[in-house]
Amino acid sequence: MAELISGRQLRRVATIGAVAAVVVLYLCMVGLVEAFKDRNVVTGVITLGAVMLLAVPLIAGYRAALPARDPSGPTPGPAQRIVFGLLVGLIAGAVLGVFVLIASAVDVRGVLVRISPPLLAFISFGLPSGLAQLAITGVGGLVGALGALLLVSPARIRNAVTSGLVAVLFMSMIEPLLRPRLEQLDYTAISDFLYKAHGLTEMASILCFVVGAGAALLWQPGNELVRRSIEAAPVQTRRRIRGWTIAVLVVAVLILPQVSGTFLAQVAVLVGLYLLLALGLNIVVGYAGLLDLGYVAFFAVGAYLTALLTSPDSSLGIGLPFFVALPIVMLGAGMTGLLIGAPVLRLRGDYLAIVTLGFGEIARVLFESDALRPWLGGVQGILGIPSPFPVRIDLQLGTTHIFATGPQVLYYPIFAFCALAAVFAYRLSNSRIGRAWNAMREDESVAEATGVSTVNYKLLAFALGATTGCLSGALFAVQLGSVFPGSFDVFVSITVLAVIILGGMGSIPGVILGAIVLIGLPELLREFVEYRILVYGAVLVAMMLLRPEGLIPNRGRQRELHEAESEEEEETLDGDLMPQRGQT
Amino acid sequence: MSSQPAVHGQSGPPAAQTPAERVLELNGVHTYYGNIHALKGVTMDVAPGEIVTLIGSNGAGKSTTLRTISGIERAREGTVRLNGRDITKMPAHEVVALGVGHAPEGRRVFSRMSVAENLDLGAFRRSGPDVATDLARVYDLFPRLKERRTQKAGTLSGGEQQMLAIGRALMTQPSVLLLDEPSMGLSPILTEQIFKIISEINDQGTTVLLVEQNALMALNVAQRGYVLQTGKIILSDTAANLAANEQVRQAYLGEI
Ligand SMILES: Nc1ncnc2c1ncn2[C@@H]1O[C@H](COP(=O)(O)OP(=O)(O)OP(=O)(O)O)[C@@H](O)[C@H]1O
Ligand SMILES: [Mg+2]
């Protein structure tokens, strides 16, 4: 053994194995494996529970085979790396095996409620104790070795296999969305070919794997080819290509709700509402650098003002048309922004965050309060908000029949507002105002000393952020037809902040992607609803480790984040102006 | 000691001027940080075209004096006048517009922005053709900055950052330039260069108030100087006299 694996390598393998074992046990104890042990991925072949369990030794084996961070000492050869993977898998498998043995002998359900006999049987492959332990350990080792094998194989093959597997998993995960829609559209033959008992059929999974792997194989040369031919093309053609790309994208966005059906349109509407909020908060946090944790207040103000002005059942009872009310709502929200912004002008960083958090809660409590009930309706909220948008569209255009209901209709105005807000924010960030915000965010007192009125620019950021947020609130009110204080809790603020942090602060494409990932995905993965927060947290932690600057970082901020972390902290924590730094 | 330096408050400043002739005039200025009494009645003035230096040991209140002038800190008592106009209570961004350019201590450039963007921000409140003229002037003074126009300010060397901070202050088109320890952390050669450039800026007509640890160099380029100790001006005289002063030599020029 001594020449096959050095002491340090052994320690590393043992550590990774232990981590894998803990993750496997965690997945079992938290109930994820049990919950999905009957959810087919490939019907008759593998279930989601098994995928979850097997993914752990696979990834751990892959990791164990990666070259060590510290390059001193001999570099292990491919065979040795596969042994590392094998060992890691064996460790994880053995620990799980022992756990199963203990759990079947002693009743642990008093503490670990999720460790049920069916789960244990599932993990043991239905084998009796002893044999089962052998099998679990063996499978663990095998999968670990496969993970390592994946790493030592050439990059092309690795990418192809990974992307094939991801394609299979993806297609089986979207079954709850895709199959009903296919059947609705009368493509039963396709849906029958693809799915059986909620999982992919064997034929379909092979097809998916081949398509995924093939796409990966062709991706790089294809990409290269396309790029080269575009570069070679004359400017005019290139411009035309870009025009067409944009046109295709726009058309895709426009027909999405028609193709996707009501449920996806509903999700898209939600994504749009949050996107609008995120674009607004991005002005305040991303551009001006003011950490506002009470952003929900503006969302609430927008919704309530809309309700008050447009609902005939509200205390005002004037029932204005939506588009007449909207400018008033925006004005009101902008004023609220100034109102909240003014007292916190001198606060920075975490103090500002705490105070705005308080403002957000105050807003909710006010909307909920009995004292204001005659005007705002207390916990019952305000009902009867009419929608300015048609409930259904039924059109015959030549041979095509367009039919859309509820969210499929609302989708369009929301995305129009999002597009407006995005363009507005983009223009803003490249203007004189954007420069002032940049300067202010970096060094407030120096910005002031170069002539930027930080007071005015902070207030402007609050007002513009509030106006954008209230648009979202107004559309939200219209969408529901009613408003309740319960919809405006602190989680809205946190989620919106998470969207812009995940996406990349100050970057509009980042914010858009962030909204899709954080708002859209959880809605689409309804099956995981019980574990949503868990997955959410895990994704965020992983993101912050892998890409702390966000998915699509703002230009120029990426490098800074890594370089100036300590300085950054100092700056945000500064209670006062210049002096802290540079005193000799 | 042949010439006795004037002790402040007992005799007037050596260069006698009528108030209207002073670019900058501080009268009994008291500045506090919370309870900390940082400036305890500072009185000083700067005449047009002068280089005046303010020297003193660490924590004497030199930076605080500059910050009080440029409006970043506010005097609780006393007055600050710029060209005869009371600017004591004026916010910093308006003081800039009236002609006070401040290159703060510690090379505080906007590190995520390029050199050009930094200079551009110096001209934030201005527009028109003379911005381009001033930019050309700054690039003329600091050719290094011109070479590195597109580089992020945070990646400049310390000396280059100092040049940028000075250049940015010049872009505000100041009638008086406040420089806070421009030589801090620079090599002797670069320090000399910076001081030469300060003289050059002054020759081109900008009044300079210079805060320095390097008292010898500062007194070399300046016409007059003030010595600040724990928030009070304890000496004020011509630069030559201060450089010859026993007390100053012992405390600030490293002589025994
Ligand atoms: N933000 C602040 N909060 C509290 N006290 C401060 C602050 N800034 C400065 N001080 C205090 O005020 C006094 C004067 O500080 P100042 O920075 O003006 O000194 P300085 O003469 O510039 O010193 P140095 O040569 O070290 O830069 C010091 O005692 C300092 O501790
Ligand atoms: Mg200082």
Side-chain angles (χ1 to χ4, degrees):
Chain A
M1 203 71 188
E3 63 278 6
L4 189 64
I5 183 163
S6 73
R8 175 188 292 170
Q9 286 164 344
L10 195 64
R11 263 202 304 284
R12 182 159 170 266
V13 164
T15 313
I16 298 180
V19 171
V22 169
V23 173
V24 164
L25 291 186
Y26 180 75
L27 287 178
C28 294
M29 289 176 190
V30 86
L32 266 169
V33 177
E34 192 201 23
F36 297 106
K37 72 181 170 51
D38 296 322
R39 162 69 157 96
N40 286 316
V41 173
V42 180
T43 304
V45 178
I46 196 166
T47 66
L48 187 55
V51 167
M52 284 172 177
L53 277 182
L54 294 177
V56 179
L58 191 76
I59 295 169
Y62 183 91
R63 281 221 61 120
L66 275 176
R69 279 257 179 79
D70 174 13
S72 68
T75 3
Q80 233 179 324
R81 293 185 180 194
I82 294 178
V83 173
F84 293 170
L86 177 77
L87 286 177
V88 164
L90 286 177
I91 294 173
V95 171
L96 183 61
V98 171
F99 176 74
V100 169
L101 192 68
I102 297 172
S104 7
V106 197
D107 185 13
V108 291
R109 297 200 71 186
V111 187
L112 305 170
V113 284
R114 296 295 200 146
I115 308 297
S116 62
L119 173 70
L120 294 174
F122 171 75
I123 300 176
S124 328
F125 305 101
L127 296 170
S129 292
L131 262 186
Q133 273 64 40
L134 275 181
I136 297 170
T137 315
V139 168
L142 193 68
V143 175
L146 278 179
L149 184 64
L150 205 57
L151 184 92
V152 298
S153 53
R156 275 168 64 87
I157 302 201
R158 178 168 68 228
N159 289 343
V161 171
T162 321
S163 117
L165 290 178
V166 169
V168 171
L169 196 61
F170 176 79
M171 284 305 287
S172 80
M173 284 299 101
I174 62 168
E175 184 269 349
L177 299 173
L178 191 55
R179 181 154 63 169
R181 189 64 188 153
L182 283 174
E183 278 164 9
Q184 209 176 348
L185 294 175
D186 270 342
Y187 294 125
T188 325
I190 299 180
S191 98
D192 283 348
F193 167 73
L194 282 176
Y195 297 116
K196 188 170 77 187
H198 297 292
L200 286 172
T201 60
E202 283 158 35
M203 279 311 290
S205 59
I206 291 170
L207 182 71
C208 290
F209 183 86
V210 169
V211 169
L217 280 179
L218 292 179
W219 175 254
Q220 192 149 22
N223 208 9
E224 194 82 347
L225 194 73
V226 168
R227 218 193 43 223
R228 221 173 304 140
S229 50
I230 286 180
E231 268 167 16
V235 182
Q236 212 176 357
T237 324
R238 249 191 284 176
R239 202 172 298 155
R240 203 172 313 144
I241 292 175
R242 209 176 55 193
W244 275 106
T245 320
I246 293 175
V248 166
L249 271 179
V250 168
V251 169
V253 168
L254 286 182
I255 63 171
L256 176 78
Q258 277 298 306
V259 177
S260 66
T262 349
F263 175 68
L264 263 186
Q266 178 78 46
V267 173
V269 162
L270 193 68
V271 169
L273 286 175
Y274 269 94
L275 176 56
L276 208 46
L277 281 174
L279 285 170
L281 187 62
N282 189 43
I283 294 177
V284 184
V285 182
Y287 292 164
L290 306 165
L291 187 51
D292 181 356
L293 291 184
Y295 194 61
V296 66
F298 305 130
F299 186 50
V301 166
Y304 266 91
L305 275 179
T306 308
L308 280 173
L309 292 171
T310 65
S311 166
D313 305 343
S314 73
S315 54
L316 285 181
I318 47 180
L320 285 180
F322 179 75
F323 286 102
V324 175
L326 200 57
I328 307 177
V329 173
M330 287 169 69
L331 204 70
M335 305 254 276
T336 319
L338 294 183
L339 216 65
I340 289 188
V344 298
L345 278 175
R346 290 193 59 82
L347 300 177
R348 292 190 186 198
D350 33 12
Y351 301 105
L352 177 66
I354 293 168
V355 173
T356 49
L357 185 67
F359 276 137
E361 279 302 284
I362 290 171
R364 190 181 56 81
V365 168
L366 280 182
F367 286 124
E368 220 170 47
S369 75
D370 283 331
L372 297 177
R373 193 192 188 112
W375 298 281
L376 301 176
V379 280
Q380 270 93 44
I382 302 173
L383 308 174
I385 304 166
S387 173
F389 311 110
V391 182
R392 56 170 58 215
I393 292 175
D394 207 338
L395 270 180
Q396 191 73 38
L397 283 176
T399 53
T400 44
H401 181 217
I402 295 178
F403 179 76
T405 60
Q408 285 169 304
V409 179
L410 200 61
Y411 173 92
Y412 294 103
I414 287 185
F415 273 79
F417 277 118
C418 283
L420 259 179
V423 170
F424 179 68
Y426 178 78
R427 297 293 295 269
L428 212 54
S429 73
N430 287 312
S431 68
R432 188 180 134 90
I433 297 174
R435 282 192 294 143
W437 281 334
N438 272 343
M440 198 171 82
R441 199 181 58 225
E442 280 203 33
D443 194 323
E444 207 175 311
S445 48
V446 177
E448 181 77 21
T450 58
V452 175
S453 164
T454 50
V455 168
N456 290 352
Y457 282 98
K458 278 184 183 179
L459 286 177
L460 184 67
F462 268 113
L464 290 177
T467 316
T468 315
C470 90
L471 274 180
S472 182
L475 291 165
F476 177 72
V478 163
Q479 181 212 10
L480 285 187
S482 52
V483 290
F484 307 101
S487 319
F488 305 107
D489 63 12
V490 64
F491 284 106
V492 177
S493 302
I494 303 289
T495 308
V496 178
L497 193 65
V499 164
I500 63 176
I501 290 175
L502 181 88
M505 263 203 225
S507 140
I508 292 172
V511 170
I512 295 173
L513 188 63
I516 293 173
V517 170
L518 270 193
I519 311 300
L521 273 191
E523 291 300 316
L524 297 183
L525 302 177
R526 276 284 157 148
E527 292 175 89
F528 293 92
V529 75
E530 252 186 283
Y531 299 96
R532 199 163 145 170
I533 302 296
L534 185 73
V535 175
Y536 202 79
V539 167
L540 281 182
V541 169
M543 267 293 307
M544 289 301 113
L545 285 176
L546 298 174
R547 289 189 73 108
E549 59 290 297
L551 290 172
I552 308 178
N554 178 307
R555 280 175 297 122
R557 218 181 275 191
Q558 199 167 357
R559 175 182 44 74
E560 279 299 323
L561 201 78
H562 296 290
E563 254 173 32
E565 249 150 11
S566 51
E567 216 176 49
E568 184 85 323
E569 204 145 290
E570 212 179 306
E571 261 169 51
T572 40
L573 294 183
D574 265 5
D576 226 303
L577 300 173
M578 288 206 237
Q580 268 83 347
R581 252 192 296 167
Q583 284 183 17
T584 36
Chain B
M1 202 68 312
S2 51
S3 67
Q4 270 301 7
V7 173
H8 197 87
Q10 290 174 1
S11 66
Q17 287 136 352
T18 58
E21 277 176 272
R22 290 171 192 153
V23 181
L24 211 54
E25 196 186 351
L26 276 72
N27 212 325
V29 167
H30 291 255
T31 302
Y32 294 73
Y33 294 105
N35 300 328
I36 298 170
H37 196 169
L39 296 188
K40 302 166 183 164
V42 169
T43 301
M44 63 185 293
D45 55 67
V46 180
E50 269 189 319
I51 298 184
V52 172
T53 182
L54 182 61
I55 56 181
S57 51
N58 293 128
K62 306 181 296 294
S63 302
T64 307
T65 307
L66 296 195
R67 283 201 293 271
T68 307
I69 295 171
S70 68
I72 294 166
E73 299 297 337
R74 187 159 296 177
R76 201 177 286 180
E77 261 176 69
T79 54
V80 180
R81 284 176 186 281
L82 178 71
N83 296 316
R85 178 167 174 182
D86 190 347
I87 57 164
T88 318
K89 299 210 154 46
M90 202 175 269
H93 63 272
E94 289 175 24
V95 176
V96 190
L98 290 181
V100 174
H102 187 175
E105 188 174 22
R107 302 172 201 146
R108 305 209 16 201
V109 294
F110 299 116
S111 55
R112 286 170 191 159
M113 296 183 200
S114 69
V115 169
E117 284 168 328
N118 264 276
L119 293 175
D120 201 32
L121 264 161
F124 186 74
R125 294 186 75 94
R126 304 168 51 200
S127 59
D130 53 334
V131 174
T133 318
D134 279 2
L135 190 64
R137 175 182 169 216
V138 169
Y139 282 145
D140 237 27
L141 284 169
F142 305 104
R144 279 281 261 292
L145 293 183
K146 189 169 186 178
E147 285 163 31
R148 294 165 188 278
R149 257 182 317 222
T150 54
Q151 191 175 327
K152 290 266 180 280
T155 63
L156 292 176
S157 81
E160 290 160 351
Q161 291 189 13
Q162 188 61 61
M163 296 174 194
L164 181 55
I166 298 174
R168 190 183 54 202
L170 282 175
M171 290 301 291
T172 62
Q173 208 177 33
S175 53
V176 56
L177 180 64
L178 312 181
L179 296 176
D180 200 340
E181 305 203 19
S183 76
M184 188 162 63
L186 301 190
S187 70
I189 294 181
L190 213 57
T191 306
E192 206 143 320
Q193 264 183 29
I194 289 275
F195 274 98
K196 248 189 19 229
I197 292 171
I198 293 171
S199 301
E200 216 173 311
I201 292 169
N202 182 244
D203 290 342
Q204 292 173 3
T206 308
T207 310
V208 177
L209 175 54
L210 172 67
V211 162
E212 257 302 327
Q213 290 285 335
N214 194 336
L216 188 60
M217 298 281 285
L219 290 172
N220 245 331
V221 296
Q223 284 98 51
R224 292 191 300 123
Y226 290 87
V227 179
L228 193 64
Q229 197 173 58
T230 53
K232 286 185 191 127
I233 301 279
I234 55 159
L235 282 173
S236 95
D237 206 334
T238 61
N241 284 347
L242 283 179
N245 181 296
E246 204 60 41
Q247 213 181 330
V248 174
R249 292 187 80 84
Q250 274 182 20
Y252 307 110
L253 301 181
E255 283 183 16
I256 307 147

